[in-house]
Amino acid sequence: MVGVPRSGTTLLRLMLDAHPEMAVPPETHFVPGLLRECKDTEVDRDRAVELLTETRRWSTFGLEPDDVRARLPGGRRLKGREVVRAFYEAYAARAGKPRWGDKTPRYLSEMRRIERALPEAHFVHIIRDARDVALSMTAAELTLPDSAAAAARRWTNKMRRAMREGERAAHYLEVRYEQLVLDTEPTLRRVCEFIDLPWNPVMLDYHRNAADRMQVLAHERPRPGKDPIPAWYGPHMHALTSRPPVADRVERWRTEMSPEDRAACEAIAGELLAELGYEVEGRSPAPARRRAGVDTTGA
């Protein structure tokens, strides 16, 4: 699951992770670097485990080093795909589930690299209106752009990169945040069909355990050259996941965004918003997009 931050990737992660067959860890961030390291240097079993446990987010996965070590062959150089699969399989096994996924928004620019290592990968790209993303980003303060214009610029750049990557991926699906919230079951069923996961209504009750799942983020995180991110920040930014999807998270920009910020957002992101079919003043929405027979509109 990929997407611009504050677009609903955590919401979808919790829904799929609630499925009895699917385990989705907190954001990993290490996969592209690990793939490069295994390609460029000699990485044996001990070094592979060391690379994993040295990542800043290792403590959020609830694994012991031996959980991964036991799944790796010894006595030879390892391929990146072997190490990556061993990590996810260990995580799924710890959760007592047969399948695994990943939710790391920034992998939206790494889909082709990941696909080369894991050709079975299916990418679900969550798309949300840039104006609502800007509202959410500016509210985040500590880690994301602090102005509507900066947020719109970031959204536009990341969206363009993701769409280019997705057009070249073998298995790629675009899902609208708005429909995941407003039309949850049909949208989630479509995601399940795409990843060949049998439908289970327990996914609709994801919010019952969401607060516990988010507690793994409750630790201070260092930032080079800046004050550390406090322990309360992660759970606070995802507090709404402990509630069922609510319609008031959609089109907040109509009532909560100032005319100046809306104008700034639309000046930067308006062309792409219209291309994606969103309403933009002075622009006509484009017709629905399709790629290789796969519906990419979220409809």
Side-chain angles (χ1 to χ4, degrees):
M1 288 159 275
V2 302
V4 178
R6 311 306 299 169
S7 291
T9 54
T10 297
L11 174 63
L12 183 57
R13 176 229 166 181
L14 291 171
M15 289 175 172
L16 292 179
D17 186 68
H19 195 289
E21 295 183 20
M22 176 71 70
V24 186
E27 294 177 16
T28 53
H29 290 269
F30 63 74
V31 170
L34 181 62
L35 293 175
R36 285 191 293 268
E37 184 77 14
C38 291
K39 180 179 179 180
D40 296 340
T41 63
E42 294 286 335
V43 174
D44 61 12
R45 180 167 56 188
D46 289 339
R47 177 56 181 156
V49 173
E50 185 179 63
L51 287 170
L52 288 170
T53 57
E54 285 177 348
T55 64
R56 290 186 298 169
R57 296 173 181 263
W58 173 256
S59 63
T60 68
F61 303 134
L63 293 174
E64 297 297 329
D66 284 345
D67 293 335
V68 179
R69 183 179 285 108
R71 295 174 178 274
L72 292 170
R76 64 172 175 83
R77 174 179 175 174
L78 298 173
K79 297 182 182 296
R81 60 173 59 93
E82 294 177 287
V83 182
V84 171
R85 289 192 181 113
F87 164 78
Y88 288 115
E89 288 168 1
Y91 184 86
R94 178 60 67 97
K97 299 182 179 183
R99 294 183 59 179
W100 51 265
D102 183 284
K103 189 283 289 192
T104 305
R106 77 177 188 89
Y107 290 169
L108 56 76
S109 61
E110 300 281 0
M111 286 185 274
R112 291 289 291 127
R113 181 189 301 275
I114 292 170
E115 184 181 61
R116 285 193 292 271
L118 305 173
E120 71 272 24
H122 284 56
F123 299 97
V124 181
H125 178 196
I126 313 296
I127 295 174
R128 187 182 187 186
D129 189 312
R131 294 158 292 196
D132 282 339
V133 170
L135 282 171
S136 190
M137 280 188 174
T138 53
E141 295 180 344
L142 288 177
T143 61
L144 294 169
D146 59 0
S147 74
R153 193 170 296 110
R154 177 175 178 164
W155 180 90
T156 303
N157 291 340
K158 287 183 175 294
M159 280 292 302
R160 291 291 188 195
R161 290 168 67 184
M163 290 162 65
R164 286 195 299 269
E165 288 277 308
E167 288 291 334
R168 299 164 58 200
H171 307 289
Y172 171 75
L173 179 71
E174 291 176 2
V175 172
R176 298 301 173 88
Y177 169 84
E178 294 81 9
Q179 291 189 324
L180 187 62
V181 169
L182 299 178
D183 204 15
T184 303
E185 183 174 331
T187 304
L188 192 53
R189 281 182 178 273
R190 194 165 63 90
V191 172
C192 288
E193 182 179 0
F194 175 66
I195 62 175
D196 196 23
L197 184 70
W199 170 253
N200 192 312
V202 73
M203 292 185 288
L204 300 175
D205 291 328
Y206 71 92
H207 54 280
R208 300 188 187 279
N209 296 315
D212 290 339
R213 299 294 283 144
M214 291 295 101
Q215 274 304 114
V216 298
L217 304 179
H219 59 90
E220 188 174 272
R221 284 181 283 163
R223 290 189 297 172
K226 299 181 180 180
D227 291 337
I229 298 172
W232 56 262
Y233 183 77
H236 170 73
M237 291 309 300
H238 299 295
L240 288 175
T241 58
S242 61
R243 299 163 51 192
V246 288
D248 64 9
R249 307 312 296 171
V250 173
E251 295 190 342
R252 293 171 56 211
W253 59 271
R254 293 187 184 275
T255 56
E256 298 181 31
M257 180 171 270
S258 71
E260 295 78 15
D261 282 350
R262 176 179 173 181
C265 267
E266 292 181 356
I268 296 166
E271 180 180 352
L272 182 52
L273 281 169
E275 181 182 330
L276 291 168
Y278 288 103
E279 177 188 332
V280 180
E281 187 173 356
R283 295 180 184 269
S284 298
R289 296 174 58 245
R290 291 182 178 271
R291 183 195 69 81
V294 175
D295 181 5
T296 60
T297 66

